[in-house]
Amino acid sequence: GGKMAARLSGGENRLVSLPLSRIRVIMKSSPEVSSINQDALFLTAKATELFVQYLAAYSYKHGRGKEKNALTYSDLSHTAEECETFQFLADILPKKILASKYLKMLEKEKRDGEVGEDEEEDEEEDDEDAT
C-alpha cells in the first residue's frame, strides 16, 4: 500500500508520509502565518515525521511494549511524563485514569475552590466528610 500512495502523490511528497495538505492547514491556523513556502512545508512535515518516529521508538524501547511486541498508549504517556525531552507532551498524552476517579477529582476541586498551600491539612477533613 505505501509505495502506491507515495507514487500517486508524486514529486518531493514521496519523501514524506504525512499529508502535506493537512500540515498546511495546521500551520495556517497560526495567526502569525500568512503564507507558507513549499520548502518550509516539506521540512516541517519531514521533521514532524522524524519526531513521531523518535517518540515511538523511544517509547517502545523504554516501555513494556518489548515484552508484548507492541507499543501502547501507556508507553507513550510514560515517556511524556518521565523523559525531559518529551515533557512538553504531558498535556497531550496524559496518563489514563478511570472516569470515576476523574469525577471524584473534579468534585474535590469544586469543593475546595482554589487550593491553597494548606492542601494536605484539608485532605484529612475531606476524608471525614466522605464517611
Side-chain angles (χ1 to χ4, degrees), residues 49-59 83 85-86:
E49 190 178 307
L50 292 171
F51 173 76
V52 171
Q53 285 173 4
Y54 177 54
L55 170 64
Y58 184 97
S59 301
C83 175
T85 309
F86 296 109

Side-chain angles (χ1 to χ4, degrees), residues 45-126:
K46 193 66 192 169
T48 304
E49 190 178 307
L50 292 171
F51 173 76
V52 171
Q53 285 173 4
Y54 177 54
L55 170 64
Y58 184 97
S59 301
Y60 180 79
K61 209 164 75 188
H62 294 86
R64 303 214 332 276
K66 276 184 305 197
E67 304 160 20
K68 307 176 218 148
N69 205 20
L71 176 64
T72 65
Y73 179 88
S74 61
D75 292 335
L76 293 168
S77 72
H78 183 76
T79 295
E81 198 179 33
E82 298 299 322
C83 175
E84 207 177 318
T85 309
F86 296 109
Q87 266 169 5
F88 74 99
L89 293 173
D91 295 346
I92 299 164
L93 293 167
K95 274 197 145 151
K96 281 188 175 173
I97 62 168
L98 292 172
S100 55
K101 196 173 173 185
Y102 180 67
L103 291 172
K104 273 195 190 126
M105 278 167 45
L106 285 181
E107 241 169 66
K108 183 173 168 19
E109 277 175 28
K110 215 181 287 173
R111 264 207 317 260
D112 295 354
E114 284 298 309
V115 179
E117 283 165 23
D118 48 24
E119 190 181 347
E120 280 134 57
E121 294 160 39
D122 292 344
E123 271 174 14
E124 288 164 32
E125 294 162 35
D126 285 350

